[in-house]
Amino acid sequence: MAQLKCSLRIHNVLSKAKISYPKQKSFLIFPAKNFVRSVVAYSNSYKLHKYQSVLDIRHINSFFGVQRYYSSSSLPCWNCGHISENLQNFCNECTVIQPIKEDINYFDILGIKKAFNINSKFLTKDFRKLQSIYHPDKFGLKSPHEQELAADHSSMINKAYRTVLHPVERAEYLLQLAGLPLEEGHIDMDPEFLMDIMEVNEELEEAQDKDDVQEIGRKNQQILDGLLQEADSYFENENIVEARGVVAKIKYYDNIYNKIKAYERKHGILD
């Protein structure tokens, strides 16, 4: 009878959380010791890996005299149901890998300060350490769900590293986090600036040899370095509006930089 009541309560929680489950299958009855483990077990059975949606409910009826509210900062482990005030990527109780937190950003994933000015050498070193922990090959003998979670973590770490490593992508991501994303066509550029960019592109198209191209590249790099320093200053002082305008300019000069590198690769100039 107690098992039936437990199952009905799981059904009520899932309904409140607006999570569907296979209607054609009979409702599962668990010999659970507590309500939380029943919900987690039921979620795992149908791969409803939305634990926060299931458990972040303002009111949960007491079961066996226990009444709890689980916030996003105190989620249960999907495997053992252990409650932690700050559930990390591995459960403190059973040490099983956990899902990626929905509100985490790339800097937190990589374990570095959210800033524009970073040390790329240290970043690469930290990235390799993380991949040595989360690489799917490390989970070859684990359950299918643990392997899936490891692949999710590894993929997210790769994406975070690629974004944060590149200064332009890093700057755009910081703008996105600040709520002022740099979307094409949504920022006005000074006509004089656009004319300068047009002239540089024309010089590049008319360049006669590699010396001309490399000279254009040196000038472009000087301007780009200056703008990157300017952006760093604005980000450091949290002047996001000004930073956004500078990053928009950086994208134009970064485009010229990529064209020059493409020319050098084509003509075997690069090392």
Side-chain angles (χ1 to χ4, degrees):
M1 188 65 175
Q3 294 176 14
L4 179 58
K5 287 182 179 179
C6 173
S7 297
L8 290 173
R9 291 192 176 185
I10 295 171
H11 170 75
N12 291 337
V13 170
L14 293 173
S15 297
K16 287 180 181 180
K18 297 182 180 179
I19 293 178
S20 60
Y21 54 88
K23 303 295 184 182
Q24 71 274 16
K25 296 187 178 181
S26 59
F27 197 79
L28 193 58
I29 297 177
F30 297 91
K33 292 182 179 180
N34 60 62
F35 176 65
V36 175
R37 294 181 185 228
S38 298
V39 174
V40 174
Y42 183 84
S43 300
N44 290 339
S45 297
Y46 292 108
K47 297 184 180 179
L48 302 172
H49 307 308
K50 300 292 182 182
Y51 311 110
Q52 184 170 340
S53 299
V54 175
L55 296 172
D56 267 8
I57 299 173
R58 296 265 173 206
H59 178 71
I60 297 179
N61 293 329
S62 62
F63 186 66
F64 296 143
V66 177
Q67 183 170 339
R68 295 180 179 178
Y69 165 66
Y70 302 99
S71 67
S72 59
S73 62
S74 59
L75 296 175
C77 167
W78 66 269
N79 181 62
C80 71
H82 175 70
I83 305 300
S84 173
E85 288 302 318
N86 187 21
L87 188 63
Q88 300 299 317
N89 291 336
F90 291 89
C91 176
N92 294 331
E93 187 73 13
C94 68
T95 70
V96 166
I97 190 170
Q98 301 298 303
I100 299 172
K101 296 177 182 178
E102 294 182 2
D103 59 349
I104 197 168
N105 63 59
Y106 291 163
F107 295 94
D108 288 340
I109 288 173
L110 297 168
I112 63 174
K113 178 184 176 182
K114 185 177 71 173
F116 181 70
N117 188 4
I118 64 167
N119 187 311
S120 59
K121 185 180 294 185
F122 289 154
L123 174 65
T124 300
K125 185 177 179 180
D126 292 340
F127 163 72
R128 289 171 179 167
K129 285 182 179 178
L130 287 170
Q131 279 296 17
S132 70
I133 296 171
Y134 295 99
H135 194 281
D137 289 348
K138 298 282 187 178
F139 294 79
L141 299 178
K142 300 295 184 180
S143 69
H145 184 44
E146 288 174 88
Q147 293 176 17
E148 180 183 346
L149 291 176
D152 289 343
H153 277 277
S154 181
S155 175
M156 186 64 74
I157 291 167
N158 280 328
K159 187 175 181 181
Y161 175 68
R162 288 195 302 268
T163 300
V164 176
L165 180 64
H166 193 285
V168 180
E169 292 187 28
R170 185 193 319 139
E172 289 189 272
Y173 185 64
L174 284 168
L175 292 176
Q176 180 183 328
L177 291 178
L180 286 175
L182 190 62
E183 298 175 355
E184 192 170 346
H186 289 265
I187 186 169
D188 295 327
M189 302 302 297
D190 179 41
E192 187 175 344
F193 168 79
L194 294 176
M195 285 295 296
D196 291 341
I197 294 298
M198 188 179 299
E199 288 178 5
V200 175
N201 277 305
E202 288 176 353
E203 288 178 13
L204 190 58
E205 290 177 1
E206 295 172 0
Q208 299 296 318
D209 53 39
K210 67 177 183 179
D211 292 333
D212 291 341
V213 173
Q214 289 181 323
E215 179 60 27
I216 294 171
R218 279 191 288 269
K219 291 179 180 178
N220 186 76
Q221 190 62 52
Q222 288 178 352
I223 296 173
L224 192 53
D225 289 343
L227 289 172
L228 289 170
Q229 291 179 5
E230 194 175 343
D232 179 37
S233 177
Y234 284 133
F235 278 121
E236 182 68 23
N237 293 293
E238 298 184 355
N239 192 337
I240 305 302
V241 174
E242 293 295 335
R244 186 172 182 267
V246 174
V247 174
K249 292 181 179 180
I250 288 173
K251 289 196 67 175
Y252 282 93
Y253 285 105
D254 185 57
N255 184 49
I256 294 172
Y257 169 85
N258 290 328
K259 288 180 179 179
I260 292 170
K261 291 303 175 185
Y263 176 94
E264 291 177 339
R265 281 191 295 268
K266 182 179 179 181
H267 294 83
I269 301 173
L270 286 177
D271 295 334

